[in-house]
Amino acid sequence: MPGLIERYRERLPFAPNDPVVTLHEGSTPLVAAPFLSEQVDARVYLKLEGANPTGSFKDRGMTCAVSAAVREGARAVICASTGNTAASAAAYAARAGLRGVVIVPDGKIATGKLAQALMHGARVIAIHGNFDQALTLVRALADSHPIALVNSVNDFRLEGQKTAAFELLEELDGELDALCIPVGNAGNVTAYWKGFVESASAPRLLGFQAEGAAPLVRGAPVAAPETVASAIRIGNPARWEEAMAAMTASRGAIRAVSDEEILDAYRLLACREGVFCEPASAASVAGLLKYGAEGARTVACVLTGHGLKDPDTALNQDHAVIACEAEIGALERVVLG
Ligand code: F0G
């Protein structure tokens, strides 16, 4: 498959001769989830966005944001991030020959994401503060310096991310009743809605936030958000109004799931469906299990990032490695016992 600008160019703001920065993102697998389907009595599918080149859905937005930045003559890109945007911005900046600068909350991003941003040669800056503070700072910086802001406040990000909605509708022949999706800064749910509206086919949007970081559920910003799902540890989403408007227009809902429910879904996906996603992604499935399919016949859950992004959380899940002597009798005992 080509990258998504090439695949969907007539529905994206790029002319035939515009520069394209791509790692062949998009066209991710949509897999049936038989165990979940039985649990909630609906046909449940998982959209594996962790199969994108840097392991998250951010690549869909980043190919567009970085391509547009190159078109505008930018020399550097910057973002605030809970980790995945940083990894993706760093990769696409490297690909484009631009400088990449990423601002992250100190100690609060998953190990794999940090490794990615550093490996791609971005300048990684850890602030003593949370994502919301980081975003406020980079917005101020990008306002007064010639450096392209590639957070989802950049409309090109949403343009790219809306293509996931196109893919879903194509693969399901338009038969989609509900979309379960984790919500952090609320860019992705806004982008999906844009894609559905442009396709004139709109499922219910069921958005899920972590209980300790659920400003949209509470109706007020959360000053000190906390959750095991570090990707969505966000207290004041930038796309607040658009996301809520999308929820209303789709007759959907935004609800909270606890960290325990998120981790239950995270383990269930890995053990029962064979799909390893990161904790934030599992919020979509946690929500589906908690609230049910509510009459929807076909449901898609967006698994936004790969499980390998966050090895520390995975290794904390109570699975023990079995030590064994390098000897056949000992091996037989542990294998067959
Ligand atoms: N899932 C994952 C794995 C994410 O990394 C994010 C956001 C979301 C869900 C929520 O998407 O913000 O569009 O509502 N991560 C951003 C980042 C904030 O910096 O990587 P959203």
Side-chain angles (χ1 to χ4, degrees), residues 114-125:
L114 186 58
Q116 289 179 285
L118 291 168
M119 272 307 289
H120 289 302
R123 184 168 296 190
V124 179
I125 301 164

Side-chain angles (χ1 to χ4, degrees), residues 183 208-215 226-227 229 232 255-259 262 283:
V183 177
F208 299 101
Q209 298 201 291
E211 233 164 57
E226 265 319 330
T227 169
I232 52 172
R255 296 171 175 138
V257 286
S258 69
D259 278 7
I262 288 172

Side-chain angles (χ1 to χ4, degrees), residues 243-331:
M244 293 315 289
M247 292 293 168
T248 309
S250 79
R251 291 173 297 105
I254 177 100
R255 296 171 175 138
V257 286
S258 69
D259 278 7
E260 204 184 324
E261 289 159 348
I262 288 172
L263 292 176
D264 283 347
Y266 172 64
R267 288 184 296 257
L268 182 151
L269 280 164
C271 294
R272 300 283 187 153
E273 302 288 8
V275 174
F276 186 24
C277 65
E278 64 172 289
S281 309
S284 59
V285 170
L288 176 63
L289 288 169
K290 182 172 183 175
Y291 299 100
E294 299 174 302
R297 283 160 307 160
T298 305
V299 181
C301 296
V302 185
L303 298 186
T304 45
H306 201 288
L308 289 171
K309 292 269 189 178
D310 188 355
D312 303 312
T313 303
L315 291 170
N316 269 336
Q317 298 306 304
D318 247 17
H319 299 116
V321 174
I322 303 163
C324 182
E325 293 305 319
E327 185 257 306
I328 188 70
L331 187 61

Side-chain angles (χ1 to χ4, degrees), residues 28-279:
T28 55
L30 182 70
V31 302
F35 183 82
L36 285 171
S37 297
E38 203 171 305
Q39 294 279 300
V40 302
D41 196 21
R43 278 193 306 277
V44 180
Y45 292 89
L46 307 171
K47 182 70 168 156
L48 304 191
E49 289 293 281
N52 275 297
T54 78
S56 86
F57 71 93
K58 305 289 181 177
D59 296 345
R60 292 181 185 275
M62 213 52 78
T63 184
C64 290
V66 174
S67 295
V70 169
R71 185 170 63 188
E72 288 152 19
R75 309 276 293 276
V77 299
I78 193 167
C79 67
S81 180
T82 56
N84 280 323
T85 302
S88 185
Y92 283 79
R95 185 88 181 164
L98 303 179
R99 249 182 72 190
V101 182
V102 306
I103 320 291
V104 300
D106 190 20
K108 295 293 185 183
I109 83 166
T111 310
K113 304 174 188 180
L114 186 58
Q116 289 179 285
L118 291 168
M119 272 307 289
H120 289 302
R123 184 168 296 190
V124 179
I125 301 164
I127 61 153
H128 301 298
N130 60 30
F131 170 84
D132 304 289
Q133 293 165 301
L135 184 59
T136 304
L137 288 167
V138 293
R139 290 179 90 153
L141 199 84
D143 272 349
S144 49
H145 299 278
I147 177 163
L149 182 61
V150 295
N151 278 106
S152 58
V153 295
N154 177 329
D155 287 336
F156 286 103
R157 283 278 310 278
L158 301 198
E159 287 294 323
Q161 286 168 216
K162 77 182 180 187
T163 60
F166 300 161
E167 289 178 19
L168 279 175
L169 293 173
E170 281 170 39
E171 284 190 78
L172 296 170
D173 284 327
E175 306 254 321
L176 178 62
D177 303 314
L179 182 84
C180 296
I181 182 168
V183 177
N185 211 24
N188 209 29
V189 69
T190 303
Y192 269 88
W193 185 241
K194 190 169 198 296
F196 288 131
V197 168
E198 288 179 13
S199 308
S201 180
R204 292 185 70 201
L205 298 180
L206 302 174
F208 299 101
Q209 298 201 291
E211 233 164 57
L216 299 180
V217 180
R218 288 171 206 288
V222 175
E226 265 319 330
T227 169
V228 68
S230 59
I232 52 172
R233 186 174 170 272
I234 294 174
N236 193 9
R239 295 279 184 177
W240 186 306
E241 283 78 19
E242 289 117 306
M244 293 315 289
M247 292 293 168
T248 309
S250 79
R251 291 173 297 105
I254 177 100
R255 296 171 175 138
V257 286
S258 69
D259 278 7
E260 204 184 324
E261 289 159 348
I262 288 172
L263 292 176
D264 283 347
Y266 172 64
R267 288 184 296 257
L268 182 151
L269 280 164
C271 294
R272 300 283 187 153
E273 302 288 8
V275 174
F276 186 24
C277 65
E278 64 172 289

